[in-house]
């Protein structure tokens, strides 16, 4: 090092620093209004000239970043297009270079087929991806600032002396980029202290809510999402084709690769992402290790940017699988039971009818795939919730890169208002229907299902939903006490929020269950019953507060609740208040009243 210092003194020590530095000559280059271009046999190129930007202020630094991001994103898009089938060009690139001071030129060049120039230059922007890329690069440069190459320091000083650019240093530049870049993607940011969650509105309209927990070190139980509008919106003539769309698309590969190829690509990673087309919503959800969050978000990005096209072989395989599944269901005695339950509850509604072999012959694979493609096309309609062991400094750039990088279509796709969704086509029975379904079985078993219509009053709906929850726990407990431990009639019982029990047993006496419910409606539960239910519910609630799945479900429900009006924290708070209010007011008489109010009374 000392020898370098000696050489500098020898060659530059006699220079007088007080003397004005030489003035660098400037050669003006005339501009022009009309575009100039040159055309060659193997390539086509076009460009325009502009003044060289100075780099002295934060505003000028931001403009430099903007230009860099635009060119980087444009070149990414050019490369992706060149790898498509029958691309509009063979190669294409955009760059901005200093031509001669004080002028620079922006040049876009493409090697394309004849008359393909305009098509070659049409491109979507992927600014969000580049933004995240720049943030990653500056973070890496900051962490390696002590190992920076001397040539980089040299070039920075040269730019300072030759072009009067400031020497700001990697620490300040990293802070500057992190201040400027995130504001360009994230449109809005909200903190919800009462649930410990943060909500981001991305520039493509997607809403992302994340909650950091430390319940499990190796779990991000997140990226569960929903968008309103599902199969109920379809006309009857399209229902079968579109309902099987996810099966066909899954065989083709909804994440950009065939399932067999994707399986090999994900070997060694703990990540799952799945899709579902429901009656009223379209969803994607999954689970991953924190170290594989990037892979999970990459799969979501691929889901939105992949267009599945049905091939003859894939469709043939799916149809064979569907036929085998139908034959297997027809051999299953419980399928006959479940189908009859649906028929009684929902009539002959096409939405609930089991798919038959003859229905498969009417499936239109192109319509099926087109519908699936449209279901995951518009990110602005989706709300994503991520819960688990998340480091925001790592997760947010990934969210911006992959979720924020999903292109928003020029026109809205499947935009639906939650309160104006088309209802499923069925009418619940208005009178009591009893039916026994017999199926031959090797070992005699019995399954009993009781279905009751539940009426919720609009004015107190949030409280009524909590009452339904308490009633479910109460009825399930009483069914076990009476039907199993007292009469020995069943192995197990389950009561869902739809008040339907569907568990296996050897024999079944529906009257016993109905008699017990009627007894509870008329006599009411005991104080001990109420205490037991309150204790069970409180224990489940406290355990849930330590589970990622519980928080994921609660936050999703807060978004989907009818009381949600833009603030998920408020929605969550109202639901919590309703739960506490019901707990406080729950007595033998209020529970009896709820049984009479929500179930048909008298039950007979």
């Amino acid at each position: 090092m000392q020898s370098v210092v000696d050489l500098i003194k020898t060659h530059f020590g006699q220079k007088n620093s007080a003397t004005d530095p030489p003035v660098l000559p400037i050669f003006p280059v005339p501009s022009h209004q009309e575009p100039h271009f040159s055309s060659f046999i193997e390539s086509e190129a076009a460009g325009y000239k502009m003044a060289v930007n100075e780099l002295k202020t934060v505003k000028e630094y931001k403009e430099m970043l903007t230009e860099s991001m635009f060119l980087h994103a444009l070149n990414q898009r050019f490369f992706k297009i060149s790898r498509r089938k029958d691309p509009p060009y063979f190669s294409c690139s955009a760059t901005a270079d200093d031509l001669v001071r004080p002028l620079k030129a922006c040049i876009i060049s493409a090697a394309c087929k004849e008359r393909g120039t305009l098509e070659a230059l049409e491109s979507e922007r992927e600014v969000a991806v580049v933004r995240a890329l720049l943030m990653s690069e500056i973070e890496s440069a900051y962490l390696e600032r002590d190992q920076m190459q001397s040539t980089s320091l040299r070039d920075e000083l040269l730019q300072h002396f030759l072009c009067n650019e400031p020497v700001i240093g990697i620490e300040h530049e990293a802070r500057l980029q992190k201040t400027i870049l995130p504001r360009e993607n994230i449109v809005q940011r909200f903190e919800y202290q009462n649930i410990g969650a943060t909500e981001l509105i991305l520039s493509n309209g997607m809403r992302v809510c994340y909650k950091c927990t430390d319940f499990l070190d190796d779990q991000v139980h997140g990226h569960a999402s929903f968008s309103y509008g599902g199969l109920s919106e379809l006309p009857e003539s399209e229902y079968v084709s579109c309902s099987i769309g996810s099966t066909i698309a899954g065989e083709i590969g909804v994440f950009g690769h065939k399932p067999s190829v994707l399986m090999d690509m994900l070997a060694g990673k703990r990540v799952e992402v799945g899709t579902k087309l429901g009656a009223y919503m379209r969803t994607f959800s999954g689970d991953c290790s924190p170290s594989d969050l990037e892979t999970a978000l990459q799969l979501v990005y691929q889901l939105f940017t992949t267009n599945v096209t049905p091939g003859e072989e894939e469709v043939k395989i799916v149809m064979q699988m569907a036929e085998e599944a139908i034959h297997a269901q027809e051999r299953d005695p419980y399928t006959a039971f479940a189908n009859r339950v649906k028929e009684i509850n929902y009539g002959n509604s096409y939405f609930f009818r089991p798919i038959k072999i003859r229905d498969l012959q009417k499936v239109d694979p192109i319509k099926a795939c087109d519908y699936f493609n449209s279901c995951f096309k518009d990110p602005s309609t989706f709300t994503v919730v991520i819960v688990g062991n998340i480091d925001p400094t790592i997760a947010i750039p990934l969210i911006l890169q992959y979720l924020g990088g999903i292109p928003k279509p020029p026109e809205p796709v499947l935009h639906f208002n939650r309160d104006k969704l088309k209802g499923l086509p069925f009418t619940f029975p208005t009178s009591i229907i009893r039916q026994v379904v017999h199926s031959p079985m090797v070992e005699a078993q019995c399954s009993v299902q009781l279905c009751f219509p539940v009426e919720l009053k609009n004015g107190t709906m949030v409280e009524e939903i909590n009452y339904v929850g308490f009633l479910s726990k109460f009825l399930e407990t009483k069914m076990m006490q009476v039907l199993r431990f007292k009469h020995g009639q069943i192995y197990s019982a389950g009561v869902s929020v739809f008040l339907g029990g569907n568990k296996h047993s050897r024999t079944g006496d529906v009257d016993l269950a109905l008699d017990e419910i009627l007894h509870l409606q008329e006599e009411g539960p005991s104080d001990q019953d109420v205490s037991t239910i309150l204790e069970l519910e409180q224990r489940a609630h406290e355990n849930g507060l330590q589970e990622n799945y519980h928080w994921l479900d609660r936050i999703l429900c807060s978004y989907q609740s009818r009381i949600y009006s833009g603030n998920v924290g408020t929605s969550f708070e109202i639901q919590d208040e309703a739960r506490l209010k019901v707990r406080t007011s729950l007595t033998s008489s209020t529970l009896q009243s709820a049984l009479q109010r929500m179930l048909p009374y008298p039950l007979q």
Side-chain angles (χ1 to χ4, degrees):
M1 182 64 186
Q2 185 58 42
S3 60
V4 175
V5 174
D6 292 339
L7 285 172
I8 292 174
K9 288 180 177 179
T10 300
H11 292 282
F12 299 101
Q14 305 304 317
K15 300 294 182 181
N16 187 354
S17 59
T19 306
D20 291 335
V23 178
L24 295 176
I26 295 177
F27 302 96
V29 178
S31 185
H32 50 82
Q33 295 296 322
E34 71 285 353
H36 288 182
F37 67 92
S38 298
S39 179
F40 303 92
I41 294 175
E42 295 182 354
S43 65
E44 299 183 15
Y48 59 91
K49 299 189 287 288
M50 66 189 81
V52 172
N53 294 333
E54 292 188 334
L55 192 60
K56 296 180 180 178
T57 66
V58 173
K59 180 177 181 294
E60 290 166 349
Y61 185 84
K62 182 178 179 181
E63 290 172 350
M64 180 273 290
L65 274 180
T66 302
E67 180 187 272
S68 175
M69 290 170 65
F70 169 73
L71 292 172
H72 199 140
L74 195 59
N75 283 321
Q76 267 197 343
R77 173 53 62 175
F78 284 158
F79 177 78
K80 289 179 181 178
I81 293 175
S82 71
R83 294 301 182 266
R84 292 177 182 172
K85 183 181 179 181
D86 191 26
Y89 52 77
F90 309 115
S91 67
C92 190
S93 65
T95 184
D97 291 320
D98 288 356
L99 195 62
V100 58
R101 291 191 61 83
L103 204 70
K104 71 174 180 179
C106 180
I107 301 171
I108 302 177
S109 59
C112 56
K113 58 190 176 184
E114 188 178 358
R115 302 180 185 277
T117 307
L118 292 180
E119 185 182 358
L121 296 180
E122 292 176 354
S123 172
E124 299 176 15
R125 297 172 60 193
E126 292 189 16
V127 176
V129 176
V130 179
R131 181 178 293 111
L133 208 61
L134 289 178
M135 290 182 70
S136 175
E137 288 176 355
I138 198 68
E139 181 71 18
S140 177
Y142 175 77
L143 293 174
E144 298 174 352
R145 60 191 182 279
D146 294 333
Q147 292 87 39
M148 183 180 290
Q149 294 288 331
S150 58
T151 52
S152 299
L153 293 170
R154 177 203 66 193
D155 292 342
E156 190 172 13
L157 292 172
L158 277 174
Q159 288 298 103
H160 172 67
F161 285 106
L162 295 178
C163 305
N164 208 23
E165 290 184 7
V167 180
I168 61 176
I170 189 61
E171 291 90 348
H172 184 69
E173 186 169 6
R175 287 197 297 270
L176 199 57
Q177 282 205 24
K178 287 185 176 183
T179 300
I180 293 173
L181 290 176
R183 290 180 180 175
E184 299 292 324
N185 192 357
I186 301 174
V187 178
Q188 289 179 295
R189 184 188 188 108
F190 303 98
E191 301 288 344
Y192 299 110
Q193 301 295 337
N194 61 322
I195 57 177
T198 301
E199 181 183 270
L200 309 176
I201 310 296
L202 307 183
S203 57
N204 60 10
M206 181 176 277
R207 187 185 305 268
V208 180
C209 181
Y210 67 87
K211 177 178 173 62
C212 307
T213 70
D214 57 2
F215 306 142
L216 292 171
D217 291 340
D218 195 40
Q219 185 182 52
V220 176
H221 197 108
H223 50 277
S225 72
F226 70 93
S227 176
Y228 288 115
L231 296 171
S232 73
E233 302 294 330
L234 295 169
E236 181 175 354
S237 60
E238 298 180 7
Y239 171 72
V240 173
S241 289
C242 294
S243 64
I244 205 172
S246 57
T247 307
I248 297 176
E251 184 64 29
I252 297 169
V254 299
F255 302 112
H257 303 277
K258 283 182 173 292
S260 57
V261 176
L262 189 64
M263 187 183 300
D264 291 340
M265 294 173 66
L266 297 180
K269 296 181 181 291
R270 192 171 74 77
V271 56
E272 294 179 7
V273 178
T275 64
K276 181 180 179 181
L277 305 184
Y280 299 117
M281 289 186 289
R282 296 153 282 132
T283 63
F284 63 84
S285 59
D287 183 65
C288 70
S289 173
S291 59
D292 294 323
L293 177 61
E294 180 171 14
T295 302
L297 297 180
Q298 286 174 339
L299 292 177
V300 175
Y301 176 86
Q302 287 293 102
L303 172 65
F304 278 82
T305 56
T306 297
N307 279 321
V308 291
T309 304
E312 185 177 341
E313 190 61 30
E314 290 93 352
V315 173
K316 182 179 178 181
I317 292 173
V318 169
M319 291 307 171
Q320 289 175 344
M321 291 167 55
E323 285 186 20
E324 285 302 316
I326 291 172
H327 289 311
Q329 288 176 350
E330 290 174 345
R331 293 190 296 267
D332 183 355
Y334 288 106
T335 299
F337 171 74
N339 288 343
R340 185 59 185 138
V341 170
K342 288 182 182 179
E343 189 176 351
I344 292 172
N345 285 341
Y346 309 118
N348 198 32
S349 170
Y350 69 86
F351 194 91
F352 298 98
R353 278 200 305 263
I355 295 179
K356 301 293 185 182
I357 298 293
R358 62 177 179 273
D359 296 319
L360 295 180
Q361 298 168 354
K362 302 174 185 177
V363 169
D364 182 342
I366 295 177
K367 185 180 292 294
C369 288
D370 284 348
Y371 178 71
F372 184 88
N373 290 334
S374 66
C375 284
F376 301 98
K377 185 62 63 180
D378 191 341
S380 68
T381 67
F382 278 82
T383 296
V384 182
V385 179
I386 303 175
V387 176
N389 185 14
I390 303 165
D391 181 351
T393 61
I394 296 174
I396 291 179
L398 296 176
I399 289 171
L400 298 183
Q401 180 174 356
Y402 297 108
L403 300 187
I406 297 171
K408 184 178 179 180
E411 297 294 332
V413 178
L414 298 186
H415 272 235
F416 293 98
N417 185 305
R418 175 192 61 190
D419 299 321
K420 296 181 179 179
L421 294 174
K422 181 181 176 183
L424 293 177
F426 77 94
T427 302
F428 199 82
T430 56
S431 60
I432 295 175
I433 299 177
R434 292 189 181 206
Q435 189 149 120
V436 178
V437 179
H438 293 282
S439 278
M441 302 177 74
V442 175
E443 184 179 353
Q445 289 188 348
C446 177
S447 184
V448 178
Q449 188 170 111
L450 306 178
C451 303
F452 305 107
V454 175
E455 184 178 357
L456 300 179
K457 303 297 183 182
N458 239 354
T460 57
M461 187 171 291
V462 182
E463 294 173 21
E464 294 287 81
I465 289 173
N466 278 276
Y467 265 114
V468 169
F470 279 104
L471 283 178
S472 298
K473 287 181 172 60
F474 173 60
L475 290 176
E476 187 173 292
T477 303
K478 295 302 290 185
M479 291 298 106
M480 287 295 289
Q481 288 176 354
V482 175
L483 300 185
R484 178 173 182 174
F485 300 119
K486 183 178 179 180
H487 295 285
Q489 290 287 318
I490 65 171
Y491 289 141
S492 61
V495 180
S496 73
V497 292
F498 301 101
L499 302 180
N502 185 19
K503 297 292 182 181
H504 297 169
S505 63
R506 292 184 181 275
T507 60
D509 190 336
V510 176
D511 286 330
L512 278 175
L514 294 176
D515 289 346
E516 179 60 22
I517 295 174
L518 179 59
H519 169 74
L520 293 170
Q521 285 181 317
E522 293 181 338
E523 303 298 327
S526 67
D527 291 339
Q528 181 59 46
D529 288 333
V530 176
S531 298
T532 300
I533 297 308
L534 285 171
E535 183 181 344
L536 289 172
E537 193 274 344
Q538 181 64 21
R539 193 183 308 160
H541 177 74
E542 290 174 355
N543 290 338
L545 294 178
Q546 304 302 315
E547 297 175 354
N548 289 326
Y549 179 79
H550 171 85
W551 280 103
L552 182 69
D553 186 60
R554 284 293 309 277
I555 294 174
L556 280 171
C557 287
S558 296
Y559 276 113
Q560 295 167 5
S561 170
R562 288 185 178 276
I563 60 175
Y564 173 72
S565 58
N567 187 310
V568 72
T570 300
S571 176
F572 197 96
E573 194 173 297
I574 292 173
Q575 292 186 60
D576 256 5
E577 290 173 353
R579 171 185 170 268
L580 291 174
K581 185 175 180 180
V582 171
R583 278 189 62 86
T584 303
S585 65
L586 200 67
T587 63
S588 177
S589 60
T590 58
L591 198 56
Q592 179 184 6
S593 175
L595 277 168
Q596 295 176 355
R597 181 174 69 252
M598 294 183 176
L599 300 185
Y601 176 73
L603 192 64
Q604 55 182 340

